[in-house]
Amino acid sequence: MALVEIRDVHKRFGEHEVLRGITLDIEAGEVVCLLGPSGSGKTTLLRCINHLEKIEGGTIRVDGELVGYRLTSKGALREETDRVIAARRAHIGMVFQRFNLFAHLDALANVCEAPVHVLGRSRAAARERGVQLLENVGLGAKLHAYPHELSGGQQQRVAIARALAMDPKLMLFDEPTSALDPELVGEVLETMKSLAAGGMTMIVVTHETGFAREVAHRVVMMDEGRVIEEAPPVQFFDAPAQPRTRAFLSKIL
Amino acid sequence: MAIGVTLGLLGALGAISKFRPVRFLVGAYLWIFRGTPVIVQIIFWYDATAELTNNRINLSSLVAGVLALGVNEGAYMTEIIRAGLISVDRGQLEAARSLGMPYGLAMRRIVIPQAIRVILPPTGNQFIGMLKTTSLLFTIAVPEIYATGVNLYSANFRYFEVLSVVSIWYLMLTSILTFAQRRLERHFGYDRVTVGRSGDGVLARMFGIGAGRGAR
């Protein structure tokens, strides 16, 4: 069974149908990059996976469980209570385009917040783990820096450490390098590469084709709310099957 | 003031609630208590409650006064706190929720602490305004500062002296509040140099001038 099972997912914002029947499986340990023009629904799909967005149809299962819903006896989807949703989200890490570090907490406190208050770990244990995670992303010297004292690349690495502190089964990356100055992109991609090398399951919305080519096991092309092509990176970039994919790649490469 | 802040927090959380009836209730509360003069509300609590209930509920002037000012204050605090809550970037709540925090925990640990920075300055205004509004309680014979002054000068006709003393009392009380506000702002101003540092004198802390050059 796949770690993430997405089945015929539909989502609309008012009149606009953003997702028009997405079906996708992601295996444990797999790194999947979502590519596509803006407005194709890739970020929305990512946000649906941890139920930051509701869906109107279809199902999304992570590790066999529906994330924001339960099935009624009649087979309809009912939204779960806040607490149940929160508990399911706890093991799905998410990294945002704009970092979203907690502005009133320093780097280490950002990382320790959820392990202490959600998982109920002791402060000492969370702290020890937090220091280790921040060292792993190269920020051992910035434990007590506040977000506004860090560069974008450093903030994003703290955000990755913060998500990892929850021992996620799955990491979602929403354009993690799009808000960064060009010279800071590399350090974040390096951190993500070593995460992938460690066997983490990752779904990455990105425009970094170099990263997709080098790290992804599979590249998924989305357009107008549908998956139009999925292939291993070599095949995807060197011999795309769909004309729409070719047109898109010719614009961004 | 405690009533005001509590009602204000509840009101603000209600105002951003996704439940329509709750938002409607808060809207009605604001509409009534911001839309009528405080002095009318004071007399309402004191005299109209007794009249409506045939004297079964007969609030003492002090209780009526505290309730009237507290409930009125709550309406204004609702808007102040709501402004603070919506000033916190939506991404903060999303990040908290993506880490598995339920709504209440995310608000308490992440959103409200950041909102406080925006809430404090207008709350200081509000408290000082409220302190001075207590002078209206003389209408229902609460023995507050101004009422005491009125009693004095109507006996001895020394308006200048009496009102000067009354003013000095108010100034002393508002100074304490101003001082407390600055201290709190410094405590919560985690990301900028705030007016006044611990080494500065009282003047520097109150007016942001003098020794330390603490002003941004």
CSV table of all heavy atoms in Angstrom, one decimal, chain B residues 41-101:
chain,number,residue,atom,x,y,z
B,41,GLN,N,-25.6,54.3,29.7
B,41,GLN,CA,-25.5,52.9,30.2
B,41,GLN,C,-25.4,52.8,31.7
B,41,GLN,O,-25.9,51.9,32.3
B,41,GLN,CB,-24.2,52.3,29.5
B,41,GLN,CG,-24.4,52.1,28.0
B,41,GLN,CD,-23.1,51.6,27.3
B,41,GLN,OE1,-22.3,50.9,28.0
B,41,GLN,NE2,-22.9,51.9,26.1
B,42,ILE,N,-24.6,53.7,32.3
B,42,ILE,CA,-24.4,53.7,33.7
B,42,ILE,C,-25.8,53.8,34.4
B,42,ILE,O,-26.1,53.0,35.3
B,42,ILE,CB,-23.5,54.9,34.1
B,42,ILE,CG1,-22.1,54.7,33.6
B,42,ILE,CG2,-23.5,55.0,35.7
B,42,ILE,CD1,-21.2,55.9,33.8
B,43,ILE,N,-26.6,54.8,34.0
B,43,ILE,CA,-27.8,55.0,34.7
B,43,ILE,C,-28.8,53.8,34.4
B,43,ILE,O,-29.6,53.4,35.2
B,43,ILE,CB,-28.4,56.3,34.3
B,43,ILE,CG1,-27.4,57.4,34.8
B,43,ILE,CG2,-29.8,56.5,34.9
B,43,ILE,CD1,-27.7,58.8,34.4
B,44,PHE,N,-28.7,53.2,33.2
B,44,PHE,CA,-29.4,52.0,32.9
B,44,PHE,C,-29.2,50.9,33.9
B,44,PHE,O,-30.1,50.3,34.4
B,44,PHE,CB,-29.0,51.6,31.4
B,44,PHE,CG,-30.2,51.3,30.6
B,44,PHE,CD1,-30.6,52.2,29.6
B,44,PHE,CD2,-30.9,50.1,30.7
B,44,PHE,CE1,-31.7,51.9,28.8
B,44,PHE,CE2,-32.0,49.8,29.9
B,44,PHE,CZ,-32.4,50.7,28.9
B,45,TRP,N,-27.9,50.6,34.1
B,45,TRP,CA,-27.5,49.5,35.0
B,45,TRP,C,-28.0,49.8,36.4
B,45,TRP,O,-28.6,48.9,37.1
B,45,TRP,CB,-26.0,49.3,35.0
B,45,TRP,CG,-25.4,48.6,33.9
B,45,TRP,CD1,-24.8,49.2,32.8
B,45,TRP,CD2,-25.4,47.2,33.7
B,45,TRP,NE1,-24.4,48.2,32.0
B,45,TRP,CE2,-24.8,47.0,32.4
B,45,TRP,CE3,-25.9,46.1,34.4
B,45,TRP,CZ2,-24.6,45.7,31.9
B,45,TRP,CZ3,-25.8,44.8,33.8
B,45,TRP,CH2,-25.1,44.6,32.6
B,46,TYR,N,-27.9,51.1,36.8
B,46,TYR,CA,-28.2,51.4,38.2
B,46,TYR,C,-29.7,51.5,38.4
B,46,TYR,O,-30.2,50.9,39.3
B,46,TYR,CB,-27.5,52.7,38.5
B,46,TYR,CG,-27.7,53.1,40.0
B,46,TYR,CD1,-27.4,52.2,41.0
B,46,TYR,CD2,-28.1,54.4,40.3
B,46,TYR,CE1,-27.5,52.6,42.3
B,46,TYR,CE2,-28.3,54.8,41.6
B,46,TYR,CZ,-27.9,53.9,42.6
B,46,TYR,OH,-28.1,54.2,43.9
B,47,ASP,N,-30.4,52.3,37.6
B,47,ASP,CA,-31.8,52.5,37.9
B,47,ASP,C,-32.8,51.7,37.0
B,47,ASP,O,-33.7,51.2,37.6
B,47,ASP,CB,-32.1,54.0,37.6
B,47,ASP,CG,-31.4,54.9,38.6
B,47,ASP,OD1,-31.4,54.5,39.8
B,47,ASP,OD2,-30.9,56.0,38.2
B,48,ALA,N,-32.4,51.5,35.7
B,48,ALA,CA,-33.4,50.8,34.9
B,48,ALA,C,-33.5,49.3,35.2
B,48,ALA,O,-34.6,48.7,35.1
B,48,ALA,CB,-33.0,51.0,33.4
B,49,THR,N,-32.4,48.7,35.7
B,49,THR,CA,-32.5,47.3,36.1
B,49,THR,C,-33.5,47.1,37.3
B,49,THR,O,-34.3,46.2,37.3
B,49,THR,CB,-31.1,46.7,36.5
B,49,THR,OG1,-30.5,47.6,37.4
B,49,THR,CG2,-30.2,46.4,35.3
B,50,ALA,N,-33.4,48.0,38.2
B,50,ALA,CA,-34.3,48.0,39.4
B,50,ALA,C,-35.7,48.1,38.9
B,50,ALA,O,-36.6,47.4,39.3
B,50,ALA,CB,-33.9,49.0,40.4
B,51,GLU,N,-35.9,49.1,38.0
B,51,GLU,CA,-37.3,49.4,37.6
B,51,GLU,C,-37.9,48.2,36.8
B,51,GLU,O,-39.0,47.7,37.1
B,51,GLU,CB,-37.3,50.6,36.6
B,51,GLU,CG,-38.6,51.0,36.2
B,51,GLU,CD,-38.5,52.0,35.0
B,51,GLU,OE1,-37.9,53.1,35.1
B,51,GLU,OE2,-39.0,51.6,33.9
B,52,LEU,N,-37.0,47.6,35.9
B,52,LEU,CA,-37.5,46.5,35.1
B,52,LEU,C,-37.9,45.3,35.9
B,52,LEU,O,-38.8,44.5,35.6
B,52,LEU,CB,-36.5,46.1,34.0
B,52,LEU,CG,-36.4,47.0,32.8
B,52,LEU,CD1,-35.2,46.5,31.9
B,52,LEU,CD2,-37.7,46.9,32.1
B,53,THR,N,-37.1,45.0,37.0
B,53,THR,CA,-37.3,43.8,37.8
B,53,THR,C,-38.1,44.1,39.1
B,53,THR,O,-38.1,43.3,40.0
B,53,THR,CB,-36.0,43.2,38.2
B,53,THR,OG1,-35.3,44.1,38.9
B,53,THR,CG2,-35.2,42.8,37.0
B,54,ASN,N,-38.8,45.2,39.1
B,54,ASN,CA,-39.6,45.6,40.3
B,54,ASN,C,-38.7,45.6,41.6
B,54,ASN,O,-39.1,45.0,42.6
B,54,ASN,CB,-40.8,44.7,40.5
B,54,ASN,CG,-41.9,45.2,39.5
B,54,ASN,OD1,-42.0,46.4,39.2
B,54,ASN,ND2,-42.7,44.2,39.0
B,55,ASN,N,-37.5,46.1,41.4
B,55,ASN,CA,-36.6,46.1,42.6
B,55,ASN,C,-36.1,44.8,43.1
B,55,ASN,O,-35.5,44.7,44.1
B,55,ASN,CB,-37.2,46.9,43.8
B,55,ASN,CG,-37.0,48.4,43.6
B,55,ASN,OD1,-36.0,48.8,43.1
B,55,ASN,ND2,-38.0,49.1,44.1
B,56,ARG,N,-36.4,43.7,42.3
B,56,ARG,CA,-35.8,42.4,42.8
B,56,ARG,C,-34.3,42.4,42.5
B,56,ARG,O,-33.6,41.8,43.3
B,56,ARG,CB,-36.5,41.2,42.0
B,56,ARG,CG,-37.5,40.6,43.0
B,56,ARG,CD,-38.3,39.6,42.2
B,56,ARG,NE,-39.0,40.3,41.1
B,56,ARG,CZ,-39.6,39.7,40.1
B,56,ARG,NH1,-39.7,38.4,40.0
B,56,ARG,NH2,-40.2,40.4,39.1
B,57,ILE,N,-33.9,43.0,41.4
B,57,ILE,CA,-32.4,43.2,41.3
B,57,ILE,C,-32.2,44.7,41.5
B,57,ILE,O,-32.6,45.5,40.8
B,57,ILE,CB,-32.0,42.8,39.8
B,57,ILE,CG1,-32.3,41.4,39.6
B,57,ILE,CG2,-30.5,43.1,39.7
B,57,ILE,CD1,-31.9,40.9,38.2
B,58,ASN,N,-31.5,44.9,42.6
B,58,ASN,CA,-31.2,46.3,42.9
B,58,ASN,C,-29.7,46.5,43.1
B,58,ASN,O,-29.2,46.2,44.2
B,58,ASN,CB,-32.0,46.7,44.2
B,58,ASN,CG,-32.1,48.2,44.2
B,58,ASN,OD1,-31.5,48.9,43.5
B,58,ASN,ND2,-33.0,48.7,45.1
B,59,LEU,N,-29.0,46.8,42.1
B,59,LEU,CA,-27.6,46.9,42.1
B,59,LEU,C,-27.1,48.0,43.0
B,59,LEU,O,-27.7,49.1,42.9
B,59,LEU,CB,-27.0,47.0,40.7
B,59,LEU,CG,-27.3,45.9,39.8
B,59,LEU,CD1,-26.8,46.2,38.4
B,59,LEU,CD2,-26.8,44.6,40.2
B,60,SER,N,-26.1,47.8,43.8
B,60,SER,CA,-25.5,48.9,44.5
B,60,SER,C,-24.8,49.8,43.5
B,60,SER,O,-24.5,49.4,42.4
B,60,SER,CB,-24.5,48.4,45.6
B,60,SER,OG,-23.3,48.1,44.9
B,61,SER,N,-24.6,51.1,43.9
B,61,SER,CA,-24.1,52.0,42.9
B,61,SER,C,-22.7,51.5,42.4
B,61,SER,O,-22.3,51.7,41.3
B,61,SER,CB,-24.0,53.4,43.5
B,61,SER,OG,-23.2,53.4,44.6
B,62,LEU,N,-21.9,51.0,43.4
B,62,LEU,CA,-20.6,50.5,43.0
B,62,LEU,C,-20.7,49.4,42.0
B,62,LEU,O,-20.0,49.4,40.9
B,62,LEU,CB,-19.8,50.1,44.2
B,62,LEU,CG,-18.3,49.7,43.9
B,62,LEU,CD1,-17.6,51.0,43.5
B,62,LEU,CD2,-17.7,49.1,45.2
B,63,VAL,N,-21.5,48.4,42.3
B,63,VAL,CA,-21.6,47.2,41.4
B,63,VAL,C,-22.1,47.7,40.0
B,63,VAL,O,-21.6,47.3,39.0
B,63,VAL,CB,-22.6,46.2,42.0
B,63,VAL,CG1,-22.9,45.1,40.9
B,63,VAL,CG2,-21.9,45.5,43.2
B,64,ALA,N,-23.2,48.5,40.0
B,64,ALA,CA,-23.7,49.0,38.7
B,64,ALA,C,-22.6,49.8,38.0
B,64,ALA,O,-22.5,49.6,36.8
B,64,ALA,CB,-24.9,49.9,39.0
B,65,GLY,N,-21.9,50.6,38.7
B,65,GLY,CA,-20.8,51.3,38.0
B,65,GLY,C,-19.8,50.4,37.4
B,65,GLY,O,-19.4,50.6,36.2
B,66,VAL,N,-19.3,49.4,38.2
B,66,VAL,CA,-18.3,48.5,37.6
B,66,VAL,C,-18.8,47.8,36.4
B,66,VAL,O,-18.1,47.6,35.4
B,66,VAL,CB,-17.8,47.6,38.7
B,66,VAL,CG1,-16.9,46.5,38.2
B,66,VAL,CG2,-17.0,48.3,39.8
B,67,LEU,N,-20.0,47.3,36.6
B,67,LEU,CA,-20.6,46.5,35.4
B,67,LEU,C,-20.8,47.4,34.2
B,67,LEU,O,-20.4,47.0,33.1
B,67,LEU,CB,-22.0,46.0,35.8
B,67,LEU,CG,-22.0,44.6,36.5
B,67,LEU,CD1,-23.4,44.3,37.0
B,67,LEU,CD2,-21.5,43.6,35.6
B,68,ALA,N,-21.3,48.6,34.4
B,68,ALA,CA,-21.5,49.5,33.3
B,68,ALA,C,-20.2,49.8,32.5
B,68,ALA,O,-20.1,49.6,31.3
B,68,ALA,CB,-22.1,50.8,33.7
B,69,LEU,N,-19.2,50.1,33.3
B,69,LEU,CA,-17.9,50.5,32.7
B,69,LEU,C,-17.2,49.2,32.1
B,69,LEU,O,-16.7,49.3,31.0
B,69,LEU,CB,-16.9,51.2,33.7
B,69,LEU,CG,-17.4,52.6,34.1
B,69,LEU,CD1,-16.3,53.2,35.0
B,69,LEU,CD2,-17.7,53.5,33.0
B,70,GLY,N,-17.3,48.1,32.8
B,70,GLY,CA,-16.7,46.9,32.3
B,70,GLY,C,-17.3,46.4,31.0
B,70,GLY,O,-16.6,46.1,30.0
B,71,VAL,N,-18.6,46.4,30.9
B,71,VAL,CA,-19.3,45.9,29.7
B,71,VAL,C,-19.1,46.8,28.6
B,71,VAL,O,-18.8,46.4,27.4
B,71,VAL,CB,-20.8,45.7,30.0
B,71,VAL,CG1,-21.5,45.4,28.7
B,71,VAL,CG2,-21.0,44.6,31.0
B,72,ASN,N,-19.1,48.1,28.9
B,72,ASN,CA,-18.8,49.1,27.8
B,72,ASN,C,-17.3,49.0,27.3
B,72,ASN,O,-17.1,49.0,26.1
B,72,ASN,CB,-19.0,50.5,28.4
B,72,ASN,CG,-18.7,51.6,27.4
B,72,ASN,OD1,-17.6,52.2,27.4
B,72,ASN,ND2,-19.6,51.8,26.5
B,73,GLU,N,-16.4,48.9,28.2
B,73,GLU,CA,-15.0,48.7,27.9
B,73,GLU,C,-14.8,47.5,27.0
B,73,GLU,O,-14.1,47.5,26.1
B,73,GLU,CB,-14.2,48.5,29.2
B,73,GLU,CG,-12.8,48.1,29.0
B,73,GLU,CD,-11.8,49.2,29.1
B,73,GLU,OE1,-12.3,50.4,29.0
B,73,GLU,OE2,-10.6,48.9,29.3
B,74,GLY,N,-15.5,46.4,27.4
B,74,GLY,CA,-15.4,45.1,26.6
B,74,GLY,C,-15.7,45.3,25.2
B,74,GLY,O,-15.1,44.7,24.3
B,75,ALA,N,-16.7,46.2,24.9
B,75,ALA,CA,-17.0,46.4,23.5
B,75,ALA,C,-15.8,47.0,22.7
B,75,ALA,O,-15.5,46.6,21.6
B,75,ALA,CB,-18.3,47.3,23.4
B,76,TYR,N,-15.2,48.0,23.3
B,76,TYR,CA,-14.1,48.6,22.7
B,76,TYR,C,-12.9,47.7,22.6
B,76,TYR,O,-12.1,47.6,21.6
B,76,TYR,CB,-13.7,49.9,23.4
B,76,TYR,CG,-14.7,51.0,23.1
B,76,TYR,CD1,-15.7,51.2,24.0
B,76,TYR,CD2,-14.6,51.8,22.0
B,76,TYR,CE1,-16.7,52.2,23.7
B,76,TYR,CE2,-15.5,52.8,21.7
B,76,TYR,CZ,-16.5,53.0,22.6
B,76,TYR,OH,-17.5,54.0,22.3
B,77,MET,N,-12.7,46.9,23.7
B,77,MET,CA,-11.5,46.0,23.8
B,77,MET,C,-11.7,44.9,22.7
B,77,MET,O,-10.8,44.4,22.2
B,77,MET,CB,-11.4,45.3,25.2
B,77,MET,CG,-10.8,46.2,26.2
B,77,MET,SD,-9.2,46.9,25.7
B,77,MET,CE,-8.2,45.4,25.5
B,78,THR,N,-13.0,44.5,22.4
B,78,THR,CA,-13.2,43.5,21.4
B,78,THR,C,-12.6,43.9,20.1
B,78,THR,O,-11.9,43.2,19.4
B,78,THR,CB,-14.8,43.3,21.2
B,78,THR,OG1,-15.3,42.8,22.4
B,78,THR,CG2,-15.1,42.4,20.0
B,79,GLU,N,-12.8,45.2,19.7
B,79,GLU,CA,-12.3,45.7,18.5
B,79,GLU,C,-10.7,45.8,18.5
B,79,GLU,O,-10.1,45.5,17.6
B,79,GLU,CB,-12.9,47.0,18.1
B,79,GLU,CG,-14.3,46.9,17.6
B,79,GLU,CD,-14.4,46.2,16.3
B,79,GLU,OE1,-14.5,44.9,16.4
B,79,GLU,OE2,-14.5,46.8,15.3
B,80,ILE,N,-10.2,46.2,19.7
B,80,ILE,CA,-8.8,46.3,19.8
B,80,ILE,C,-8.1,45.0,19.7
B,80,ILE,O,-7.1,44.8,18.9
B,80,ILE,CB,-8.4,47.0,21.1
B,80,ILE,CG1,-8.8,48.5,21.1
B,80,ILE,CG2,-6.9,46.9,21.4
B,80,ILE,CD1,-8.6,49.2,22.4
B,81,ILE,N,-8.7,44.0,20.4
B,81,ILE,CA,-8.1,42.6,20.3
B,81,ILE,C,-8.3,42.0,19.0
B,81,ILE,O,-7.4,41.3,18.4
B,81,ILE,CB,-8.6,41.8,21.5
B,81,ILE,CG1,-8.2,42.4,22.8
B,81,ILE,CG2,-8.2,40.3,21.3
B,81,ILE,CD1,-8.8,41.7,24.0
B,82,ARG,N,-9.4,42.2,18.4
B,82,ARG,CA,-9.7,41.7,17.0
B,82,ARG,C,-8.6,42.3,16.0
B,82,ARG,O,-8.0,41.5,15.2
B,82,ARG,CB,-11.1,42.0,16.5
B,82,ARG,CG,-11.4,41.4,15.2
B,82,ARG,CD,-12.9,41.6,14.9
B,82,ARG,NE,-13.2,43.0,14.6
B,82,ARG,CZ,-13.1,43.5,13.3
B,82,ARG,NH1,-12.7,42.7,12.3
B,82,ARG,NH2,-13.3,44.7,13.1
B,83,ALA,N,-8.3,43.6,16.2
B,83,ALA,CA,-7.3,44.2,15.3
B,83,ALA,C,-6.0,43.5,15.5
B,83,ALA,O,-5.3,43.2,14.6
B,83,ALA,CB,-7.2,45.7,15.6
B,84,GLY,N,-5.7,43.2,16.8
B,84,GLY,CA,-4.4,42.5,17.1
B,84,GLY,C,-4.3,41.1,16.4
B,84,GLY,O,-3.4,40.7,15.8
B,85,LEU,N,-5.4,40.4,16.6
B,85,LEU,CA,-5.5,39.0,16.1
B,85,LEU,C,-5.3,39.0,14.6
B,85,LEU,O,-4.6,38.2,14.0
B,85,LEU,CB,-6.8,38.3,16.5
B,85,LEU,CG,-6.9,38.0,18.0
B,85,LEU,CD1,-8.2,37.3,18.3
B,85,LEU,CD2,-5.7,37.2,18.5
B,86,ILE,N,-6.0,39.9,13.9
B,86,ILE,CA,-5.9,39.8,12.4
B,86,ILE,C,-4.6,40.5,11.9
B,86,ILE,O,-4.3,40.3,10.7
B,86,ILE,CB,-7.2,40.5,11.7
B,86,ILE,CG1,-7.3,41.9,12.1
B,86,ILE,CG2,-8.4,39.7,12.0
B,86,ILE,CD1,-8.5,42.6,11.4
B,87,SER,N,-3.9,41.1,12.8
B,87,SER,CA,-2.6,41.7,12.4
B,87,SER,C,-1.5,40.6,12.3
B,87,SER,O,-0.5,40.7,11.6
B,87,SER,CB,-2.1,42.8,13.3
B,87,SER,OG,-1.6,42.2,14.5
B,88,VAL,N,-1.8,39.4,12.9
B,88,VAL,CA,-0.8,38.4,12.9
B,88,VAL,C,-1.0,37.6,11.6
B,88,VAL,O,-2.1,37.2,11.2
B,88,VAL,CB,-1.0,37.4,14.1
B,88,VAL,CG1,0.0,36.2,14.0
B,88,VAL,CG2,-0.8,38.1,15.4
B,89,ASP,N,0.1,37.5,10.8
B,89,ASP,CA,0.1,36.8,9.5
B,89,ASP,C,-0.6,35.4,9.6
B,89,ASP,O,-0.4,34.7,10.5
B,89,ASP,CB,1.5,36.7,9.0
B,89,ASP,CG,1.6,36.0,7.6
B,89,ASP,OD1,0.8,36.5,6.8
B,89,ASP,OD2,2.3,35.1,7.5
B,90,ARG,N,-1.5,35.2,8.6
B,90,ARG,CA,-2.2,33.9,8.6
B,90,ARG,C,-1.3,32.7,8.5
B,90,ARG,O,-1.6,31.6,9.0
B,90,ARG,CB,-3.1,33.9,7.3
B,90,ARG,CG,-4.3,33.2,7.5
B,90,ARG,CD,-5.3,33.1,6.5
B,90,ARG,NE,-6.0,31.9,6.8
B,90,ARG,CZ,-6.8,31.7,7.8
B,90,ARG,NH1,-7.0,32.6,8.7
B,90,ARG,NH2,-7.3,30.5,8.1
B,91,GLY,N,-0.1,32.9,8.0
B,91,GLY,CA,0.9,31.8,7.9
B,91,GLY,C,1.3,31.3,9.3
B,91,GLY,O,1.6,30.1,9.4
B,92,GLN,N,1.2,32.1,10.3
B,92,GLN,CA,1.6,31.7,11.6
B,92,GLN,C,0.6,30.6,12.1
B,92,GLN,O,1.0,29.6,12.7
B,92,GLN,CB,1.6,32.9,12.6
B,92,GLN,CG,2.6,33.9,12.3
B,92,GLN,CD,4.0,33.5,12.7
B,92,GLN,OE1,4.2,33.0,13.8
B,92,GLN,NE2,5.0,33.7,11.8
B,93,LEU,N,-0.7,30.9,11.9
B,93,LEU,CA,-1.7,29.9,12.3
B,93,LEU,C,-1.6,28.6,11.5
B,93,LEU,O,-1.6,27.5,12.0
B,93,LEU,CB,-3.1,30.5,12.2
B,93,LEU,CG,-4.3,29.6,12.6
B,93,LEU,CD1,-4.1,29.3,14.1
B,93,LEU,CD2,-5.6,30.3,12.3
B,94,GLU,N,-1.3,28.8,10.2
B,94,GLU,CA,-1.2,27.6,9.3
B,94,GLU,C,0.0,26.8,9.7
B,94,GLU,O,-0.1,25.5,9.8
B,94,GLU,CB,-1.0,28.0,7.9
B,94,GLU,CG,-2.3,28.5,7.3
B,94,GLU,CD,-2.3,28.6,5.8
B,94,GLU,OE1,-1.2,28.5,5.2
B,94,GLU,OE2,-3.4,28.7,5.2
B,95,ALA,N,1.1,27.4,10.0
B,95,ALA,CA,2.3,26.7,10.5
B,95,ALA,C,2.0,25.9,11.8
B,95,ALA,O,2.4,24.8,11.9
B,95,ALA,CB,3.5,27.6,10.6
B,96,ALA,N,1.4,26.6,12.7
B,96,ALA,CA,1.0,26.0,14.0
B,96,ALA,C,0.1,24.8,13.7
B,96,ALA,O,0.4,23.7,14.3
B,96,ALA,CB,0.3,27.0,14.9
B,97,ARG,N,-0.9,24.9,12.9
B,97,ARG,CA,-1.8,23.8,12.6
B,97,ARG,C,-1.1,22.7,11.9
B,97,ARG,O,-1.4,21.5,12.1
B,97,ARG,CB,-3.0,24.3,11.9
B,97,ARG,CG,-3.6,25.6,12.5
B,97,ARG,CD,-5.0,25.7,12.4
B,97,ARG,NE,-5.6,24.7,13.2
B,97,ARG,CZ,-6.9,24.3,13.1
B,97,ARG,NH1,-7.7,24.8,12.2
B,97,ARG,NH2,-7.4,23.4,13.9
B,98,SER,N,-0.2,23.0,11.0
B,98,SER,CA,0.5,22.0,10.3
B,98,SER,C,1.4,21.2,11.2
B,98,SER,O,1.8,20.0,10.9
B,98,SER,CB,1.3,22.5,9.1
B,98,SER,OG,2.6,23.1,9.6
B,99,LEU,N,1.7,21.7,12.4
B,99,LEU,CA,2.5,21.0,13.3
B,99,LEU,C,1.6,20.2,14.3
B,99,LEU,O,2.1,19.6,15.3
B,99,LEU,CB,3.4,21.9,14.1
B,99,LEU,CG,4.6,22.5,13.4
B,99,LEU,CD1,5.2,23.7,14.1
B,99,LEU,CD2,5.7,21.5,13.2
B,100,GLY,N,0.3,20.2,14.0
B,100,GLY,CA,-0.6,19.3,14.8
B,100,GLY,C,-1.2,20.0,16.0
B,100,GLY,O,-1.7,19.4,16.9
B,101,MET,N,-1.1,21.4,16.0
B,101,MET,CA,-1.7,22.1,17.1
B,101,MET,C,-3.2,22.3,16.9
B,101,MET,O,-3.6,22.7,15.8
B,101,MET,CB,-1.1,23.5,17.3
B,101,MET,CG,0.3,23.4,17.8
B,101,MET,SD,0.8,25.1,18.3
B,101,MET,CE,2.6,24.9,18.3
